[in-house]
Amino acid sequence: MPQTTPLPPGTMIGILGGGQLGRMLSLAASRLGMRTHIYCPDPHSPAFEVTAHRTVAAYDDEAALAAFAAAVDVVTYEFENVPAATAEFLAARKPLRPGANALAISQDRLAEKAFLASKNIPVAPHYPVATLADLDAAIAALGLPAVLKTTRLGYDGKGQRVLHHLDDAAQAFAALDPKPLVLEAFVPFEREISVVVARNLAGEVKSFDPAENVHRDHILFTSTVPAAIPAALEKHAGMIAKAIVIALDYVGVLGVEFFVVPGDQRPTLLVNEIAPRVHNSGHWTEAVCLTNQFEQHIRAILGWPLGDPARLADVVMQNLIGDEVLAIPAALTGHAQPHLYGKTEGRAGRKMGHVNRLQPKL
Ligand code: AMP
């Protein structure tokens, strides 16, 4: 029978994935009186530090998954590459929120673009590329530059190459795996924005203000709110995000990344990708919103009413990558709120924490 009453404090929430997003979800759940059980193959997962219940096992270990399912009341996840078989196995035993359909769509760039296009949501022109001949045809259709991407398992710029010359094509095709690939037209965007949106079990939808995102070395560097875009475009981005969660019958928080493209009259939006989870570009909500994205996700999957996403101050979120975390605490001047993830090893390119710098409306 579908759940109609909100799950009570003391509910055990199972979280797949033990990175910083799982850690922050666990902290938010704890603040609402919930317990969390983190499942992750990596024994050094930062999320393990903030909860008493853990499973260290592979995502295809059915015995471990069965024991995990038996120990929790509801299952969620902090990353979109949860294997389909794992999602199905768990969904057969306990409510999985968001559902397996959101994972299937967001794991595959072609499925994602087809889904968005079927809902009349604009995406960059693109062609599937399974062979070199497909790539030649796609380049002939789209022109250069263009961006060649894996359809699966890409993140932080991994799994993609910008093609500038015809000569780049064969080498890029050979280098990118797994196949198939997708060739996207190069979007001459003026900026990138994202919207974090939530939908709960009752179908209530609320979104946070759009953030303007700047990447450095393909990794998110800053999210600034408000974004420097017209109010009508902010509203439009929120409407697209809402349409996506409704179309997916989604439960939880979802991130939608957009390109803002200059137009004749006014800028327009293309959706770059969606992420069925709390999102790095929503970390600013921790510092300046009545309800932050982590609490919102937990509320949504428990069947609770959504919280108020109202924003109380302007803010810039900056990721701390690798050694940048060593600048803390000295860099905490002004209205700076740090959040460090407790990672012991500061490899280059690794997200170690973030700082929210507030501009309070005094
Ligand atoms: P993605 O992994 O698809 O989120 O891409 C990572 C980043 O690469 C984006 O945030 C953009 O900055 C850039 N990018 C991706 N696709 C395109 C495109 N079709 N045109 C221009 N830039 C792109």
Side-chain angles (χ1 to χ4, degrees):
M1 227 189 42
Q3 177 200 336
T4 49
T5 50
L7 292 170
T11 290
M12 184 68 90
I13 301 173
I15 300 175
L16 295 170
Q20 63 268 17
L21 300 180
R23 177 177 167 116
M24 291 187 272
L25 282 170
S26 188
L27 291 170
S30 175
R31 231 168 52 120
L32 296 179
M34 307 296 158
R35 297 174 299 149
T36 56
H37 184 135
I38 310 275
Y39 189 115
C40 189
D42 178 359
H44 304 294
S45 297
F48 286 156
E49 299 296 327
V50 302
T51 185
H53 312 279
R54 70 169 71 174
T55 299
V56 180
Y59 290 118
D60 61 358
D61 180 338
E62 291 201 348
L65 288 171
F68 172 71
V72 304
D73 302 302
V74 58
V75 179
T76 191
Y77 43 87
E78 59 129 38
F79 70 114
E80 58 271 42
N81 287 319
V82 174
T86 307
E88 270 164 40
F89 187 93
L90 291 171
R93 289 160 176 79
K94 287 290 157 71
L96 176 71
R97 297 175 186 155
N101 65 328
L103 283 172
I105 286 173
S106 60
Q107 282 175 0
D108 181 330
R109 287 187 196 274
L110 282 169
E112 183 174 281
K113 288 181 200 301
F115 160 74
L116 293 167
S118 76
K119 303 296 167 196
N120 294 320
I121 295 169
V123 296
H126 62 278
Y127 287 90
V129 171
T131 64
L132 256 182
D134 292 344
L135 181 55
D136 287 343
I139 292 173
L142 294 174
L144 292 177
V147 188
L148 188 61
K149 301 182 178 180
T150 57
T151 51
R152 306 181 77 84
L153 301 173
Y155 70 100
D156 286 349
K158 294 186 174 64
Q160 59 178 280
R161 297 279 180 96
V162 180
L163 307 184
H164 295 282
H165 307 287
L166 267 182
D167 308 348
D168 303 338
Q171 205 224 345
F173 179 83
L176 290 173
D177 265 319
K179 308 279 191 299
L181 309 176
V182 55
L183 188 73
E184 289 179 21
F186 188 86
V187 178
F189 58 81
E190 62 175 47
R191 59 189 88 240
E192 294 184 87
I193 64 165
S194 57
V195 171
V196 172
V197 60
R199 183 172 176 274
N200 71 3
L201 266 186
E204 188 187 12
V205 178
K206 292 190 182 200
S207 57
F208 295 97
D209 287 349
E212 179 166 341
N213 302 320
V214 172
H215 295 86
R216 199 182 53 176
D217 301 330
H218 296 285
I219 300 172
L220 182 66
F221 180 46
T222 56
S223 292
T224 300
V225 194
I229 56 172
L233 207 65
E234 287 213 354
K235 203 167 159 204
H236 190 206
M239 281 168 50
I240 290 176
K242 181 172 182 176
I244 292 172
V245 287
I246 291 173
L248 289 171
D249 195 23
Y250 191 85
V251 176
V253 157
L254 175 125
V256 186
E257 297 177 21
F258 299 87
F259 296 127
V260 179
V261 188
D264 289 343
Q265 309 286 319
R266 60 183 78 87
T268 56
L269 294 172
L270 295 179
V271 171
N272 175 28
E273 60 182 10
I274 61 176
R277 53 172 169 77
V278 287
H279 201 257
N280 193 168
S281 72
H283 290 358
W284 60 273
T285 63
E286 264 190 311
V288 295
C289 291
L290 283 174
T291 309
N292 68 52
Q293 64 163 347
F294 305 101
E295 177 178 336
Q296 198 73 305
H297 184 79
I298 298 296
R299 284 177 177 237
I301 66 169
L302 290 171
W304 285 28
L306 294 179
D308 186 347
R311 180 172 60 82
L312 305 178
D314 294 352
V315 62
V316 179
M317 187 283 308
Q318 183 191 331
N319 269 336
L320 300 169
I321 311 289
D323 283 352
E324 285 167 1
V325 72
L326 301 177
I328 303 293
L332 297 179
T333 51
H335 305 285
Q337 187 189 82
H339 194 144
L340 307 188
Y341 308 147
K343 295 180 183 176
T344 43
E345 206 190 327
R347 287 192 299 271
R350 194 169 194 216
K351 291 172 182 167
M352 303 297 288
H354 63 267
V355 183
N356 284 313
R357 295 187 191 281
L358 283 66
Q359 279 117 46
K361 292 173 181 160
L362 295 174

